[in-house]
Amino acid sequence: MSRKTNITMTKIVLSISFIILLGRLVYSGIGAYSHHQNQKQQQTDGQTVAPQEPTSDKACTGTLKTCRYHKD
């Protein structure tokens, strides 16, 4: 075998390996996206809406130094 044949065969093998690698990357990316969507769907289905507590008349509208309470 000549050196030229070895280089050609090496390029072919590396090209095939690269194509397989890209295929696996695309396949796993699609699977990961699908899994992420399923997890997000299960998370939204599992959440329940808790009743909100009534707000008090004293609601702070700022930091502690600038806290102003509602006066009726």
Side-chain angles (χ1 to χ4, degrees):
M1 271 181 135
S2 67
R3 183 172 172 87
K4 189 174 182 180
T5 307
N6 284 340
I7 291 174
T8 305
M9 290 299 289
T10 303
K11 286 182 180 180
I12 291 171
V13 169
L14 287 175
S15 299
I16 291 171
S17 298
F18 186 70
I19 290 169
I20 291 171
L21 179 68
L22 283 179
R24 291 180 66 175
L25 180 66
V26 169
Y27 181 77
S28 64
I30 292 170
Y33 181 75
S34 174
H35 178 72
H36 175 70
Q37 292 297 321
N38 289 341
Q39 291 294 324
K40 195 161 66 168
Q41 181 67 31
Q42 287 177 358
Q43 193 176 33
T44 56
D45 288 347
Q47 289 180 347
T48 58
V49 178
Q52 293 181 347
E53 297 179 13
T55 57
S56 64
D57 291 338
K58 293 183 178 182
C60 185
T61 59
T63 61
L64 290 176
K65 290 182 179 179
T66 61
C67 191
R68 298 184 184 109
Y69 295 105
H70 296 286
K71 295 180 180 179
D72 292 329

